[in-house]
Amino acid sequence: MTFKPVYVVDGARTPFLKVRGGPGAFSAGDLAVQAARAMLLRQPVEATALSEVIVGCAAPTPDETNIGRVVGLRVGTGNKVPAWTVMRNCASGMQALDSACVNIQTGRSDLVLACGTDALSRAPLLFSDGMVNWLAKWNGAKSTGQKLALLRQFKLSNLAPVIGLLKGLTDPVIGISMGQTAENLAWEFGITRKEMDAFSVRSHERAIAGQNRHAFDEITAIIDAKGNAYTEDDGIRRDSTVDKLGKLKPVFDKPSGNVTAGNSSQVTDGAAALLLASEEAVAKWNLQPIGRILDAQWAALDPAQMGLGPVHASVPILQRHNLGLNDLDLWEINEAFAAQVLGCIRAFESEQYCQAHFGLPALGTLDQDKLNVDGGAIALGHPVGASGARIVLHLLQALRARNLKRGMAAICIGGGQGGAMLVETLG
């Protein structure tokens, strides 16, 4: 398969804002619009010149169902630029990029705004089935007597809300949470609690170092309706230590598990936006790209081991380009859970796993000095729809900051899938 490179002209993201109880200040649309506007204002093209807008979002609210169109109109594309929404769980933002790439390669589009966004703080609270059934009967009641009878049947337990986010993080096919899939990998590969917590501390330490040296210049400040400004990721913990994390209780396998809130990604609101272009558009508008997307791959596996999706998606790309793990300059693997990323590292190293799933010898040990060099979702947060776009954007930024060339961004996907993109810088 020949993958005609697509140019990444520019990108921006919002600060990732930790969910702290109650709806956040921004809807998913607000976040995507502010990131996209900041980026487009730097470019010599108007939003009306875009071929299309594609937005990945895992949990749009009912008033932003086709959030792609909402974002397109709000950034000023006018009525004639089409816009649409994609959803591939945790990789929705990466899917937006890949969908843009396909349309650019086929000549359908030349210049595409591709975004990933989610405001998980606004995930809905739902009525229980008991409450829905009671309300249906109430609405159908035709007499006062019928309504009085229904009032006597009402149970206070009906008022207990169903948390939409928790339902979304539970696999409906195998009936277990995403956190339990991380526990599965920890058990399979012998990953200890101390290893998980140490990896998590490192994520925070690298994110802190990144903030200190301005490694997150892709972040644009955003302002809420009350005039409050948000300028940086607010979930990074400067006091994180292995000892402190070791005191946290397991969340998903409470009797004997090792996955805790401290070694899992943070529930977060945020968005990332990238401008992708064909070679012809680059020349027409005299654009100055920061990099190119060289290849992309989607893969599927057992939902109970969904965290190994990055392995299954990246291996075919490595094979197509005759690359070893450490032939790449940098890697970004989204940190859904510490156990999940460590599981990917162990799977690459495992002769048994690589032979069983790819018919290959073990790929070797991934150099962790090349992995998530400025921290990852454990420290920065994981707004589900945005993360796939964020890791591609930051990978390019991290490569450019170090005068490096090629890197791989990879992400696991709830439901048992994985996505990966191979990118390179220019100049």
Side-chain angles (χ1 to χ4, degrees):
M1 181 186 74
T2 300
F3 190 103
K4 180 182 175 183
V6 172
Y7 291 88
V8 179
V9 177
D10 198 358
R13 74 169 175 93
T14 69
F16 281 8
L17 306 176
K18 187 174 180 179
V19 174
R20 301 181 187 278
F26 304 94
S27 72
D30 295 335
L31 294 162
V33 167
Q34 294 212 40
R37 279 178 177 163
M39 177 188 64
L40 291 172
L41 285 172
R42 299 195 290 257
Q43 300 305 317
V45 292
E46 299 291 336
T48 51
L50 293 170
S51 302
E52 61 180 335
V53 175
I54 308 173
V55 177
C57 185
T61 51
D63 59 335
E64 294 181 338
T65 303
N66 183 9
I67 193 171
R69 182 59 166 167
V70 173
V71 171
L73 291 173
R74 288 181 61 191
V75 298
T77 61
N79 295 333
K80 294 184 179 181
V81 177
W84 50 297
T85 303
V86 295
M87 195 289 212
R88 200 192 281 255
N89 280 346
C90 311
S92 297
M94 186 177 284
Q95 180 64 68
L97 298 178
D98 191 36
S99 297
C101 287
V102 170
N103 282 356
I104 289 171
Q105 290 177 316
T106 57
R108 292 179 177 179
S109 297
D110 284 311
L111 195 62
V112 181
L113 172 62
C115 306
T117 187
D118 255 319
L120 298 182
S121 68
R122 297 194 177 196
L125 292 176
L126 308 172
F127 284 129
S128 65
D129 288 345
M131 186 65 183
V132 172
N133 289 331
W134 186 88
L135 286 171
K137 292 176 182 177
W138 178 265
N139 288 333
K142 296 180 179 179
S143 68
T144 301
Q146 288 175 332
K147 289 190 174 183
L148 288 172
L150 283 169
L151 286 173
R152 287 193 293 270
Q153 296 172 18
F154 184 80
K155 299 176 182 179
L156 286 177
S157 60
N158 288 346
L159 296 175
V162 177
I163 300 173
L165 181 60
L166 292 181
K167 287 185 71 70
L169 294 176
T170 301
D171 190 289
V173 176
I174 58 175
I176 64 174
S177 70
M178 297 300 102
Q180 185 59 56
T181 69
E183 292 280 13
N184 292 348
L185 299 186
W187 181 84
E188 178 176 353
F189 291 103
I191 301 166
T192 67
R193 169 70 179 271
K194 190 170 184 179
E195 287 178 300
M196 296 181 205
D197 290 345
F199 184 90
S200 302
V201 169
R202 190 186 75 178
S203 183
H204 287 279
E205 289 174 344
R206 289 186 174 186
I208 292 164
Q211 282 187 335
N212 290 343
R213 66 173 184 276
H214 306 290
F216 301 112
D217 284 346
E218 68 265 29
I219 295 178
T220 183
I222 56 176
I223 300 173
D224 68 20
K226 297 179 180 180
N228 300 309
Y230 305 79
T231 61
E232 62 182 13
D233 304 318
D234 68 358
I236 300 173
R237 294 188 291 269
R238 293 180 176 268
D239 61 347
S240 185
T241 66
V242 172
D243 287 343
K244 287 182 178 180
L245 291 184
K247 296 175 182 177
L248 298 177
K249 295 182 179 181
V251 175
F252 304 100
D253 187 357
K254 294 182 180 181
S256 57
N258 290 306
V259 177
T260 70
N263 56 42
S264 305
S265 58
Q266 299 181 41
V267 182
T268 322
D269 297 348
L274 290 86
L275 183 63
L276 305 187
S278 66
E279 188 172 21
E280 294 76 12
V282 168
K284 176 181 178 180
W285 297 101
N286 192 28
L287 303 174
Q288 304 298 315
I290 62 174
R292 301 192 300 174
I293 297 174
L294 299 179
D295 205 346
Q297 181 70 46
W298 301 100
L301 68 160
D302 182 351
Q305 293 189 319
M306 71 94 194
L308 299 180
V311 178
H312 288 252
S314 60
V315 166
I317 295 178
L318 295 172
Q319 290 184 286
R320 282 199 290 270
H321 295 264
N322 195 29
L323 294 168
L325 287 178
N326 295 312
D327 291 334
L328 295 170
D329 297 309
L330 293 178
W331 281 75
E332 283 280 334
I333 298 178
N334 191 55
E335 296 172 359
F337 303 92
Q340 166 259 319
V341 181
L342 292 169
C344 289
I345 294 170
R346 299 281 175 87
F348 282 133
E349 293 173 336
S350 170
E351 186 79 19
Q352 180 180 356
Y353 194 87
C354 290
Q355 286 286 359
H357 292 275
F358 312 118
L360 297 171
L363 275 74
T365 299
L366 178 60
D367 182 352
Q368 293 194 47
D369 287 338
K370 296 183 174 186
L371 173 63
N372 297 359
V373 290
D374 296 316
I378 289 172
L380 305 176
H382 179 21
V384 174
S387 292
R390 181 198 75 80
I391 60 174
V392 172
L393 174 58
H394 189 71
L395 177 57
L396 283 168
Q397 299 285 32
L399 288 166
R400 284 160 52 84
R402 294 162 176 79
N403 294 314
L404 300 173
K405 191 69 175 175
R406 286 183 300 186
M408 186 85 75
I411 191 166
C412 63
I413 305 168
Q417 296 190 79
M421 282 190 163
L422 179 66
V423 304
E424 74 172 7
T425 57
L426 298 175

